[in-house]
Amino acid sequence: MPTIEFDQVSKNFSGNTVIKGFDATVPDKEFLVLLGPSGCGKSTMLRMIAGLTDISAGQLKFDGVVVNDLEPKKRNIAFVFQSYALYPHMSVRANIGFPLVMDNFKWWHHIPLVGGLARRALMKREDVATKINEVAEMLELTDYLDRRPKALSGGQRQRVAVARSLIREPALYLLDEPLSNLDAKLRTQMRAEISALHDRVKKTFVYVTHDQVEAMTMGTRIIVLNDGLVQQYGTPKDIYDRPANTFVARFIGSPPMNLIPIVVDGGRATMFGINLPFQPPETMGVQEAQLGIRAEKVQVRIERGAPGYPARIVTVEHLGSETVVGFKFGTDNLTVEVGARASRDLFYAKLVGDVRLEHGQTCTISFDPADVLWYSSDSGELFDSPQMAPS
Ligand code: ADP
Ligand code: MG
């Protein structure tokens, strides 16, 4: 049950750096999610943890011991891939028990008939049978143990693949986008099941996904990766509340965080030519910057004379329990835009409940200075919290 430590771990493929050196310590029993867009290096990082890919530089440690050169077999890990292969001619029971059979494999098991009988006997051995029943119970597969994989649904097959990887009771569970082949409903269900499994087995999980909802709902800690570079490492709450840079701010949350262009000059900030009634961090100096505010922290008022910034509503999405409003600052007449263009330059408010608002309405936008984050336009980095002071 290791604490995982990354000490300037990096990876090159023939001179091409795909993971740039980074440091992180992941305590025991965490559910670590590696999150980022396709091609950012998630699978490479997971494979380095598994020992399936060499580490180019830096050290990977389990419980303080360098494991860079430790064989995968000796790392006591279970690896669940996106595309899982079950043996079609074997029952669910035999598929789940397969790793235990392999552990007890003798050369003469290769002999037809004799070997088959021996393997079957092994499946019936009390300790093996008990183990299979336990794991099947855990993943609600007890009723399907005698079926063939083809008589199962996609979700059930995925559970068999998970069960098979769990049977050895590894110290570390590595999962690479295991749910991406499933439909939306099943994905939601499996998400809950994998989280429940983590609670039950109380081991460290490392889970790769490009889906920020999976990361936020399952992870106890998240590493956000982009282009081989670790953007942020923290709890889901840290990452949601204080994204370290504008990449993370845009990647996490739906709709993404509003990043509104502002100009900072001598402890003052203006937004679309209007002075903000609160001050930016002193360290910002003079620069073009971005004001970050989550959609659910934005208030939209249509009463005349309400305090705030004038804006016009461009899109309204009624989701039942909430209403997502897309707006533009200013009250100029908007030409009707369609498709992708319409969403460009839009900012968003997420309002609780089904709110009656309409496309084209003018409104005022306001937010609490305490909810504001400040980002540099050049580096995209987060600045320290603002000094709150009345204007
Ligand atoms: P992800 O899992 O986040 O989609 P990967 O870790 O699979 O990304 O890949 C990260 C980058 O490393 C990609 O640019 C990919 O092309 C490259 N890469 C992955 N494996 C190899 C390899 N064996 N040889 C060369 N380049 C590789
Ligand atoms: Mg991958």
Side-chain angles (χ1 to χ4, degrees):
M1 275 159 275
T3 297
I4 306 172
E5 225 174 301
F6 300 93
D7 180 359
Q8 285 305 306
V9 169
S10 70
K11 177 69 191 174
N12 306 300
F13 283 115
S14 44
N16 192 12
T17 306
V18 297
I19 297 287
K20 289 152 197 150
F22 74 100
D23 294 329
T25 301
V26 185
D28 186 24
K29 302 188 182 68
E30 294 283 343
F31 196 116
L32 174 71
V33 176
L34 306 179
L35 173 68
S38 176
C40 70
K42 305 179 295 293
S43 295
T44 303
M45 203 184 267
L46 196 70
R47 291 172 61 83
M48 289 195 289
I49 299 171
L52 299 170
T53 295
D54 291 338
I55 294 168
S56 306
Q59 292 186 322
L60 176 68
K61 296 176 193 165
F62 289 173
D63 284 333
V65 179
V66 178
V67 294
N68 286 35
D69 298 322
L70 191 66
E71 275 179 72
K73 260 192 290 188
K74 298 198 173 136
R75 295 189 187 202
N76 199 12
I77 49 173
F79 206 130
V80 183
F81 297 95
Q82 175 180 350
S83 44
Y84 45 91
L86 301 178
Y87 298 103
H89 59 286
M90 288 186 192
S91 65
V92 168
R93 185 190 310 277
N95 268 284
I96 296 176
F98 190 75
L100 296 184
V101 172
M102 286 313 289
D103 285 348
N104 292 283
F105 199 84
K106 304 286 184 322
W107 67 266
W108 48 268
H109 285 166
H110 279 304
I111 304 170
L113 219 64
V114 184
L117 285 173
R119 286 203 300 273
R120 223 158 295 153
L122 202 53
M123 295 291 296
K124 293 201 179 111
R125 215 171 71 187
E126 205 182 324
D127 57 330
V128 174
T130 306
K131 197 74 230 161
I132 294 172
N133 289 336
E134 273 174 23
V135 176
E137 181 90 0
M138 199 191 280
L139 287 154
E140 294 178 28
L141 289 166
T142 309
D143 296 341
Y144 308 106
L145 280 172
D146 295 314
R147 290 201 194 173
R148 293 281 164 88
K150 69 168 189 291
L152 300 179
S153 71
Q156 289 163 342
R157 277 182 224 164
Q158 180 62 294
R159 291 211 294 263
V160 175
V162 173
R164 185 176 59 186
S165 69
L166 300 187
I167 196 148
R168 272 202 182 115
E169 297 191 28
L172 186 56
Y173 294 74
L174 306 179
L175 302 101
D176 194 345
E177 312 221 24
L179 307 186
S180 53
N181 288 337
L182 305 180
D183 65 45
K185 184 160 168 269
L186 209 52
R187 234 175 13 234
T188 312
Q189 187 189 328
M190 283 300 291
R191 222 154 65 196
E193 285 181 18
I194 293 176
S195 292
L197 179 73
H198 174 247
D199 288 344
R200 265 195 310 261
V201 299
K202 299 187 170 52
K203 302 280 171 68
T204 304
F205 280 49
V206 185
Y207 186 99
V208 163
T209 183
H210 62 270
D211 180 342
Q212 50 114 4
V213 177
E214 274 183 22
M216 292 297 291
T217 52
M218 301 169 82
T220 58
R221 300 212 177 200
I222 301 175
I223 288 180
V224 184
L225 264 174
N226 187 34
D227 210 5
L229 204 59
V230 171
Q231 305 287 318
Q232 189 166 5
Y233 170 48
T235 63
K237 186 170 163 50
D238 290 337
I239 285 177
Y240 189 81
D241 291 347
R242 293 186 63 78
N245 56 44
T246 51
F247 173 82
V248 180
R250 281 202 203 90
F251 198 73
I252 306 271
S254 176
M257 182 182 283
N258 294 300
L259 292 169
I260 308 169
I262 55 171
V263 177
V264 175
D265 187 355
R268 292 258 145 218
T270 53
M271 193 170 98
F272 298 108
I274 301 173
N275 277 325
L276 287 171
F278 44 89
Q279 290 179 323
E282 269 171 33
T283 48
M284 289 186 82
V286 179
Q287 63 171 304
E288 290 184 1
Q290 282 165 303
L291 182 153
I293 181 93
R294 286 270 176 220
E296 63 274 25
K297 304 288 190 186
V298 172
Q299 280 107 48
V300 179
R301 295 208 174 77
I302 50 167
E303 312 90 82
R304 232 172 247 260
Y309 309 92
R312 193 181 283 275
I313 294 172
V314 182
T315 60
V316 182
E317 277 178 55
H318 297 283
L319 303 174
S321 62
E322 59 194 26
T323 307
V324 177
V325 177
F327 61 87
K328 282 186 175 177
F329 284 99
T331 52
D332 302 346
N333 277 336
L334 296 171
T335 49
V336 179
E337 294 173 278
V338 286
R341 282 204 60 206
S343 66
R344 226 199 284 158
D345 309 323
L346 278 194
F347 299 104
Y348 292 96
K350 187 146 82 175
L351 311 174
V352 176
D354 194 11
V355 184
R356 293 283 115 208
L357 290 172
E358 273 173 43
H359 164 87
Q361 265 180 320
T362 53
C363 62
T364 50
I365 297 299
S366 58
F367 38 77
D368 187 334
D371 294 326
V372 163
L373 298 168
W374 305 84
Y375 292 96
S376 155
S377 285
D378 285 341
S379 65
E381 296 296 315
L382 176 69
F383 279 91
D384 286 337
S385 296
Q387 310 293 314
M388 232 68 74
S391 57

